[in-house]
Every structure is written in C-alpha cells, then in structure tokens.
Amino acid sequence: MEDEAFQHVVSVFSSLVSWVAAGAIMFGGVVPYIPQYRDIHRTQNAEGFSTYVCLVLLVANILRILFRLGRYYDDALLWQSIIMICTMLVMLNLCTNVRMAADLSTKRRSFLATDSKDEEVRIPKRLFLDFDWTYFWSWSRFVDYLQCVLAFTLVAAYTAYLLLDSVLFVETLGFLAVFTEAMLGTPQLYCNYQNKSTEGMSIKMVLMWTSGDTFKTGYFLLTEAPMQFWTCGLLQVFVDVAILFQVYYYSRYPQKPVSHTVSHTTSAKAL
C-alpha cells in the first residue's frame, strides 16, 4: 500500500516537473525582452535596440514551424515559436511608434505601395513596391512589417509544401531554422558597433541571453544532440560574450559624447 502511495507521489511530481519544464520552454525565451520593452517604453528611446533581432527571430521561428510539417517535435517547442513570433511583433510595434514619434521629419518608407490619404504619412504611390534595400526593415509603419512577414511566410510555406517529400530539404530547413536563431545576437552586436555605444540596450536582456544559451548548449552536449545543435549553441554563446565585452569596452572607453539635447527622456540609461 505504501509502495503504491509512493509511486503515486512520484508520478504526480514527475508530471508537475514536466508541466513546469514545458512552461519554461514556451515562455522562457520571451523573458529577456521584458526589461528591454520596459526600458524603451519608459525612455521613449529605441535607438539602442536593433529591430533586426526581431527579424532574425521571426525568420527562425517561422522556419521552425514549417520544419514541423516534415519532422515532428514536441508541442512545447511549437508553442514557443508561436509565442516568440507574437512577442517580436509587439516589440516591432513599440519600436516603430517610438522612432516615428521621436523624429517626425524622417522620410516615410513603406513595404507595399499604398493609396493612403493620411497626409501625415506621405508615401509616394508606386506601381507595386516602394522597395529600397537601403531602407529594408526600417519602414515607417508597423503594418509594413506585417506585410513583409506575411509575404515571407506565404512564400516559405508554399516552397515547403512543394518540397516536403524531400528529406534533404526538410533537414536543410531544420538546420536553417537553428542556424538563423544562432545569429540572434549579431544584429545587436553590429548595432552597438555602429553606435560605438551600448546605451539604450538592456544589459539584463543580454545576460539572460547568455545564461539561457549556455544552459541550452550544455543540455545539447549532455544529451548528445546532433552536431549542428551544439555547434550553433556555442556560436550563440560566443556572440553573447562579445556583446558583453562591448558593454565593458564602450563604458570604459567611450567613443562618442552622451547627448543632452534630446527632447524626450533618454537621460536614464537602460540597464
């Protein structure tokens, strides 16, 4: 009788741990962006955050969802991708609103041609696309980002549907999803290099990146996951450490003076 009670307790505890682990997998990836979102919303300054981070995660998670069509994986990972896509769209919406409110003189750019009668958004009418690689992913309205994401999703989904029977294509799709996510920190690394500063970037976000990527890579190594998984994990950790070095270097050796003439409240440095 006691053995049955003990086995029941162990079973309940095991189920609880599984639910907690699944919840951590689904929502753990969005936690690093909470402090960054709060910093941008508080300071009304999005200069220190690279929206290309959003682009990388959107592409990676869309590809991962399509990869599931050819290779089954855990439902928690599927929901992780869906939640991450929603989070990145929220971040893009905030950054677009803040940047356009901060500089009304910015020339408006769009992804698709439009007949909008809103005089505030003066977008010249084109036959189809108002597309310029110079301004790619630097558009004026959130709806333009949505249009781009939708266009990429439709093209990728159609391609996956046509080539789903090819094992080589499915495996390549899975590798591209993992490798794209491994490149997550490179837009922020380049943004910091261009600005010669890490001001406006949430250090908490990068620390969470580093701890999460280190744990994930260790898990891949301990479970003898395929080589591309732990290789990409090591690459992520390397990029995270490089960003942390930028934080140290640019704070120790400032490359540009801090502006005190900005009209909105950017004096409070994001930590």
Side-chain angles (χ1 to χ4, degrees), residues 126-142:
R126 300 291 179 89
L127 293 177
F128 179 65
L129 289 176
D130 178 26
F131 193 82
D132 186 342
W133 279 109
T134 307
Y135 299 97
F136 176 75
W137 209 251
S138 299
W139 299 305
S140 307
R141 304 172 305 164
F142 175 63

Side-chain angles (χ1 to χ4, degrees), residues 36 39 48-49 188 192 198-206 243 246-247 270-271:
Q36 182 68 76
D39 288 341
F49 177 73
Q188 190 64 58
N192 296 339
T198 58
E199 184 174 0
M201 181 195 72
S202 174
I203 300 177
K204 294 178 184 177
M205 177 186 70
V206 181
I243 294 175
Q246 286 181 321
V247 174
L271 296 177

Side-chain angles (χ1 to χ4, degrees), residues 152-217:
F152 172 78
T153 303
L154 291 176
V155 172
Y158 183 69
T159 304
Y161 173 76
L162 293 178
L163 301 175
L164 201 57
D165 293 332
S166 171
V167 176
L168 177 62
F169 172 79
V170 172
E171 294 299 327
T172 302
L173 183 65
F175 175 78
L176 287 176
V178 176
F179 182 75
T180 304
E181 187 174 355
M183 295 292 100
L184 168 64
T186 53
Q188 190 64 58
L189 185 72
Y190 183 68
C191 178
N192 296 339
Y193 173 77
Q194 276 192 319
N195 294 337
K196 303 300 181 183
S197 170
T198 58
E199 184 174 0
M201 181 195 72
S202 174
I203 300 177
K204 294 178 184 177
M205 177 186 70
V206 181
L207 288 173
M208 290 179 184
W209 278 356
T210 308
S211 59
D213 292 339
T214 302
F215 174 80
K216 180 174 63 178
T217 304

Side-chain angles (χ1 to χ4, degrees), residues 20-42:
V20 171
I25 290 174
M26 288 188 291
F27 295 99
V30 307
V31 172
Y33 299 96
I34 295 176
Q36 182 68 76
Y37 182 93
R38 295 177 63 183
D39 288 341
I40 294 175
H41 189 269
R42 174 174 54 86

Side-chain angles (χ1 to χ4, degrees), residues 189 192 198 201 206 238-253:
L189 185 72
N192 296 339
T198 58
M201 181 195 72
V206 181
F238 174 78
V239 174
D240 296 339
V241 172
I243 294 175
L244 290 176
F245 176 76
Q246 286 181 321
V247 174
Y248 165 77
Y249 182 82
Y250 290 133
S251 62
R252 183 82 180 253
Y253 308 101

